[in-house]
Amino acid sequence: MIIDYNAEYFNPEHVLECGQIFRFTPFKEGYFVCSADKACYVHSDGVKTIVKSDDCDYFYNYFDLDRDYSEIVNRAKVHNIPLLTRSCEHFKGLRLLNQNREEMLYSFIISQNNNIPRIKGIISRICGGLGEKREYLGESYYTFPTSSKLAAAGAEFFRSAGCGYRDAFLAETSARVAQEGISHLENLDGNTLKSELLKYKGVGAKVADCVALFGFGKRDSFPVDTWVEKVYKEDFNGTLTDRAKITEYFRSLFGEDAGYVQQYLFYGKRVNL
């Protein structure tokens, strides 16, 4: 099955390389992307972006293709912030993903104080050790393990996968999720959701904001890391040093578009646009 979409507002490189996802690899003319227990092949010729999958409904939602990003870009430009305007134009093909919630919880626990190549390697080893082997388009991949499988593996497995001090966080959080699930988090407002996420072992403010944004679709979330702090100081002449206050500054400024703006600013600053 195939999805084709206007490439102007769906650039696979912009979507996948901006730090919101870790399970993808270069493949043929584009990328092989895995989410939960599913896989797709996505590529673009500059006019159309094509997604091939056995579950196109899943990936239509995953890539947020029901949303008009031209409106988001136009609203962002109204703020007349030079870096934001440049990023919106250069990365107008960037879209926020709707990812598997449990996978996001564990992935962003792994991501803290870490770099993207290492994060991808750790997640790949966890999937290879505990996931189910599958194949799509002749390419083998492993599903993301269930919380029950993660919990049964224990801290020693996570340590052997290269998680370092995060091993205890993953062991304790997966045990809790395996026991109680996370469905009780689904209909919470953004502030309440963040408060609840902070109760999981290994989840700090930035991780909670990332999980809320990329897993629960809370588009008013605004994760703050070193790149965003740099944006705040250099492009907004900010003087605050408390990340929680910086987050609230940006949320107040950009409202329901905060999450989209965060990705434009983060990506633009990271590539020195």
Side-chain angles (χ1 to χ4, degrees):
M1 294 183 284
I2 292 176
I3 302 168
D4 73 53
Y5 201 86
N6 179 0
E8 183 179 10
Y9 290 98
F10 183 11
N11 183 312
E13 180 183 355
H14 297 169
V15 173
L16 301 174
E17 299 283 1
C18 68
Q20 62 177 321
I21 174 180
F22 307 110
R23 294 178 65 211
F24 67 95
T25 54
F27 181 70
K28 295 184 177 179
E29 291 144 20
Y31 298 89
F32 193 87
V33 181
C34 300
S35 175
D37 60 349
K38 306 179 191 304
C40 75
Y41 167 45
V42 57
H43 63 98
S44 180
D45 62 6
V47 177
K48 287 186 176 181
T49 294
I50 307 296
V51 181
K52 294 182 180 179
S53 174
D54 286 336
D55 194 338
C56 281
D57 287 343
Y58 179 88
F59 283 103
Y60 190 89
N61 177 67
Y62 178 83
F63 287 113
D64 205 30
L65 298 180
D66 206 30
R67 198 181 309 271
D68 183 355
Y69 274 64
S70 67
E71 294 182 357
I72 296 166
V73 167
N74 288 336
R75 288 198 300 270
K77 287 180 180 177
V78 167
H79 294 280
N80 291 317
I81 298 163
L83 174 62
L84 180 57
T85 299
R86 293 196 305 273
S87 295
C88 285
E89 276 300 313
H90 194 76
F91 300 122
K92 64 171 61 173
L94 189 158
R95 309 182 73 85
L96 292 190
L97 300 174
N98 296 308
Q99 301 188 64
N100 179 272
R101 289 165 178 171
E102 291 186 23
E103 183 175 338
M104 286 297 92
L105 178 59
Y106 303 123
S107 295
F108 279 98
I109 288 175
I110 292 167
S111 77
Q112 59 186 303
N113 300 316
N114 219 336
N115 60 67
I116 289 177
R118 190 162 181 269
I119 297 163
K120 292 176 73 172
I122 292 169
I123 294 173
S124 178
R125 288 189 289 276
I126 290 173
C127 292
L130 301 176
E132 297 177 9
K133 188 175 183 179
R134 299 198 178 167
E135 187 175 291
Y136 182 63
L137 298 179
E139 187 80 354
S140 295
Y141 70 98
Y142 290 88
T143 63
F144 196 90
T146 63
S147 291
S148 296
K149 284 193 174 181
L150 291 169
E156 187 175 337
F157 170 79
F158 297 120
R159 199 173 310 121
S160 69
C163 296
Y165 69 88
R166 307 164 194 83
D167 58 354
F169 301 160
L170 293 165
E172 185 172 325
T173 294
S174 62
R176 178 181 169 184
V177 176
Q179 182 176 27
E180 64 185 39
I182 58 171
S183 60
H184 61 287
L185 302 176
E186 291 177 4
N187 297 315
L188 301 178
D189 65 79
N191 291 331
T192 306
L193 173 62
K194 183 174 180 178
S195 295
E196 289 301 309
L197 287 170
L198 288 169
K199 296 176 182 178
Y200 288 85
K201 191 74 171 179
V203 176
K206 185 238 177 181
V207 169
D209 282 326
C210 287
V211 175
L213 181 58
F214 305 129
F216 287 84
K218 300 301 181 184
R219 302 313 199 208
D220 60 342
S221 299
F222 200 100
V224 174
D225 67 352
T226 54
W227 286 107
V228 173
E229 282 185 321
K230 190 176 174 67
V231 168
Y232 172 69
K233 291 173 183 176
E234 295 180 358
D235 298 276
F236 291 81
N237 297 315
T239 58
L240 297 170
T241 56
D242 184 311
R243 285 189 175 185
K245 291 181 179 179
I246 295 172
T247 293
E248 289 312 308
Y249 166 80
F250 280 121
R251 289 185 67 202
S252 175
L253 185 59
F254 298 116
E256 291 298 315
D257 286 334
Y260 304 105
V261 170
Q262 191 271 356
Q263 283 291 277
Y264 294 131
L265 292 173
F266 168 81
Y267 202 15
K269 182 59 77 173
R270 200 177 74 177
V271 302
N272 195 27
L273 192 63

